[in-house]
Structures are given as structure tokens and as C-alpha cells.
Amino acid sequence: MRIVIAGGHGQIALRLERLLSHAGHEVAGIIRSPEQGADLREAGAEPVVLDLESASVEMVAAVLQGADAAVFAAGAGPGSGADRKDTVDRAAAVLFADAAERARVRRYIVVSSMGADASHPGDEIFDAYLRAKGAADDEIRSRTALDWTVLRPGSLTDDAGTGMVRLEARTGRGPIPRDDVAAVLAELLDTPATAGLTLELVAGSVPVSVAVKDVAGN
């Protein structure tokens, strides 16, 4: 498959790029800065420099042309304000979906967040983040032209992955290594029957491939 990842220099995205390229897939990662390109090439991905906060839908669709799947893994990141939570975590996800539709890329996976909710209350930056993620999820889940899957990981850690997870519609809160999030994303891309599902992900006791097969089609 050819897979295009938005937020290609993110910690989960770089892990996913390595997994996909090692599996023989063709991977492109959208990045904001040319300086990030070397890290993507080292991970086996083609870097594409494009700012999703200012790009047009036509520009993004051109990158997605010929792809088999799109993964939205971009985020404004720590230290950003509420405005950028909206322009990146919400608006860029919607732009990427618009572009996928235009390029006729049906498979669309979103890396969301546990607790994402467009009506989440509160005035803190993290509250704005959860609202932005929730609004993006709602918008993407309304798209009939996309075979979408929304993945909502728990608290992300840099611990080594175990390959053992809990993946369900509702898991409750818990930690999850970024390694295992990337492994689940790779498995979701190989499992089209997970389209139409919103899934929570935390560390658990089920091997990744089994966990994904268990939820497929449910």
C-alpha cells in the first residue's frame, strides 16, 4: 500500500513509518519543516513539506493522489495555545479528510485522544485540546465517502512496547506505550473491517493482532 501520514515527524508517526516501511509499504509523511526530512528518510518514509494550517485542499489532495490510505497523526503539540488546538487538531484533520475525499482515498485513520469530546467543559488548554479532537472526530465520522477508524489512545508513554493491549469501544483510562499505538495503527491499516469503529486503546493482555481481529467488523 501507499500510505500518507499527516504529522509525519510526530513520535507515533515516526514509529509507524518504520513499521510500515519494514513491512514493504510505501510511506509518505507530511511535515512542516524541511529539517525534519532526515528523520523521516531514516524511518523509511518520503518527506513531504506542507503546512496543513495554510495549505489548500487542492495542495493536500495532490499529496494524497494515488494513496491507498491516509493517517491523521498531526497535533499542535505541547506548548501550543487554544487557537492552535483548533487550527491543527480540528481544522487540519478536517482539511486532510476533505483532501482524502477529493483524491478518492477511502481509508482514513485518525489518531485521536481518550476523552475527546466536542462539548468537553473547562477553560484549560487541555480542555480546548479535547474539544478540538472531539469536533474533528465528529466531523470525520459523518463522512460516508471515507472508511474511517478513530483510535483514542490513553496516556502516552515512552516505555518499550509490549505488544499487549486492550482495544475496545470503551476501555477506561490507562497508559499505553507509543510503540504499541504505532503497532495497532499498522494492524488497523491491514484490517479494513475496522472501518466505522471508534476505539479506545490502553495497555492490556491481548496481542495487538488478536485485539484488532477481535474488534474487526463489530
Side-chain angles (χ1 to χ4, degrees):
M1 290 191 291
R2 175 172 171 80
I3 299 150
V4 178
I5 302 172
H9 194 256
Q11 295 185 68
I12 291 171
L14 286 168
R15 288 166 166 84
L16 178 59
E17 286 155 6
R18 287 189 188 95
L19 291 175
L20 294 174
S21 63
H22 288 163
H25 298 296
E26 182 184 346
V27 189
I30 297 175
I31 54 177
R32 291 170 58 91
S33 168
E35 289 75 24
Q36 298 170 335
D39 291 334
L40 270 73
R41 282 187 286 270
E42 198 232 332
E46 168 200 350
V48 178
V49 180
L50 187 66
D51 185 350
L52 292 176
E53 288 180 273
S54 59
S56 67
V57 66
E58 291 82 9
M59 292 165 67
V60 184
V63 176
L64 284 162
Q65 201 66 46
D68 300 291
V71 178
F72 185 83
S80 58
D83 287 351
R84 292 202 66 231
K85 302 303 183 192
D86 186 69
T87 58
V88 179
D89 293 287
R90 184 197 61 79
V94 174
L95 172 70
F96 201 52
D98 289 341
E101 289 187 354
R102 185 162 300 201
R104 298 186 179 178
V105 179
R106 289 200 60 93
R107 190 70 172 116
Y108 190 98
I109 296 181
V110 181
V111 183
S112 184
S113 174
M114 187 84 70
D117 182 347
S119 59
H120 180 83
D123 300 320
E124 301 297 322
I125 296 296
F126 191 67
D127 299 323
Y129 167 76
L130 291 176
R131 284 193 294 272
K133 286 302 236 182
D137 293 352
D138 290 347
E139 172 67 27
I140 287 152
R141 291 184 297 188
S142 73
R143 305 292 183 99
T144 57
L146 297 177
D147 295 329
W148 53 264
T149 302
V150 174
L151 182 66
R152 292 177 165 175
S155 303
L156 300 171
T157 75
D158 288 324
D159 297 337
T162 66
M164 307 295 283
V165 300
R166 182 179 176 194
L167 180 70
E168 299 169 13
R170 292 282 184 275
T171 62
R173 296 188 178 277
I176 182 73
R178 289 178 171 87
D179 287 349
D180 290 332
V181 177
V184 168
L185 289 167
E187 198 72 30
L188 290 171
L189 284 164
D190 275 339
T191 313
T194 55
L197 300 180
T198 300
L199 300 167
E200 294 184 350
L201 173 67
V202 294
S205 57
V206 180
V208 166
S209 61
V210 176
V212 172
K213 285 183 177 66
D214 283 348
V215 298
N218 294 333

